[in-house]
Amino acid sequence: NAGVTQTPKFQVLKTGQSMTLQCAQDMNHEYMSWYRQDPGMGLRLIHYSVGAGITDQGEVPNGYNVSRSTTEDFPLRLLSAAPSQTSVYFCASSLYRGRNEQYFGPGTRLTVT
Amino acid sequence: AQKITQTQPGMFVQEKEAVTLDCTYDTSDQSYGLFWYKQPSSGEMIFLIYQGSYDEQNATEGRYSLNFQKARKSANLVISASQLGDSAMYFCAMRTITGYSSASKIIFGSGTRLSIRP
């Protein structure tokens, strides 16, 4: 199993550009989520999904869109990039409930200039 | 609203000593789970231990144990016999059940940076 994969690993955007961060998992996990981690800080939940076709907002959803058309994929779209979105983005997946820990991708380091 | 609080931004501990990392949480849900993750300088997130709100025993995984005090809403991580490789950021996280959709989201605290001195 590849686990949770994220692409790209690094990205530089100009203010106002849009882009999609890709996330895929091959563990048949129902639950997937996106977090951002700013320097020296914890992870803040952006959006999450409990299955194909079902998504919900987390703590910091503004400026981001998600969709979940398949169990495997959960892309994160930045609509109009802003310098405040400079961060490391982590995708994670797990079985839906209970004591099942999340498996994390390696992260995408995004810089918006 | 659900919240995780880690009040120790940084800690220094001598090698081979035990260390306790604090975590308090706030939720109105009766059913929830608490996790601890380790993030070394390489950046990956490593799962350490889990405690369910209905678990009667405190969780243990090797040198890691979770001191769960439900009435105080605390879930402190205890690392026994610390090693140099334990130097990392440590995050406490909580899985809760939200209202209308019974969707289950996981939120994190701000983390504690643990440094082990030789």
Side-chain angles (χ1 to χ4, degrees):
Chain A
N1 286 350
V4 180
T5 58
Q6 290 183 238
T7 55
K9 284 191 168 55
F10 301 93
Q11 183 71 50
V12 179
L13 289 179
K14 289 188 165 74
T15 297
Q17 287 184 318
S18 63
M19 80 159 295
T20 299
L21 306 184
Q22 301 292 344
C23 175
Q25 52 90 11
D26 60 359
M27 297 172 281
N28 204 29
H29 285 166
E30 305 102 327
Y31 182 88
M32 295 185 76
S33 55
W34 276 102
Y35 295 88
R36 60 176 289 174
Q37 183 177 26
D38 299 322
M41 296 183 66
L43 281 74
R44 291 185 290 170
L45 181 65
I46 305 171
H47 286 285
Y48 64 103
S49 168
V50 299
I54 307 170
T55 64
D56 206 347
Q57 296 181 349
E59 303 166 284
V60 288
N62 291 343
Y64 307 94
N65 271 358
V66 292
S67 60
R68 182 102 179 265
S69 55
T70 67
T71 300
E72 294 77 21
D73 300 298
F74 190 45
L76 177 73
R77 281 182 291 277
L78 279 71
L79 309 172
S80 177
S84 60
Q85 293 179 304
T86 294
S87 191
V88 178
Y89 291 84
F90 286 99
C91 179
S93 75
S94 75
L95 293 173
Y96 179 25
R97 290 175 184 262
R99 60 183 59 248
N100 300 292
E101 75 271 20
Q102 291 195 102
Y103 293 81
F104 282 81
T108 294
R109 187 174 295 275
L110 175 69
T111 303
V112 183
T113 61
Chain B
Q2 291 87 0
K3 189 175 180 183
I4 292 274
T5 302
Q6 295 180 253
T7 57
Q8 307 153 308
M11 289 185 71
F12 287 90
V13 171
Q14 204 68 30
E15 190 179 8
K16 298 181 185 173
E17 288 184 349
V19 56
T20 298
L21 305 181
D22 295 340
C23 172
T24 58
Y25 60 91
D26 189 17
T27 180
S28 55
D29 293 310
Q30 296 303 307
S31 178
Y32 53 88
L34 296 152
F35 303 80
W36 277 91
Y37 284 84
K38 172 183 178 181
Q39 187 180 43
S41 57
S42 53
E44 75 261 39
M45 297 291 289
I46 302 168
F47 166 73
L48 296 177
I49 197 166
Y50 171 86
Q51 179 85 40
S53 59
Y54 292 114
D55 292 344
E56 293 185 354
Q57 304 278 348
N58 284 346
T60 59
E61 291 285 347
R63 292 187 299 112
Y64 304 107
S65 60
L66 201 151
N67 184 1
F68 181 48
Q69 298 189 36
K70 195 169 180 177
R72 293 186 176 183
K73 293 191 174 179
S74 74
N76 298 340
L77 177 71
V78 180
I79 306 175
S80 63
S82 56
Q83 302 171 354
L84 295 178
D86 294 332
S87 294
M89 281 289 285
Y90 288 81
F91 293 102
C92 181
M94 176 170 64
R95 163 164 261 161
T96 64
I97 309 294
T98 60
Y100 73 98
S101 69
S102 294
S104 172
K105 63 182 179 182
I106 303 176
I107 59 171
F108 282 73
S110 56
T112 295
R113 182 171 296 281
L114 177 64
S115 300
I116 308 299
R117 293 191 179 116

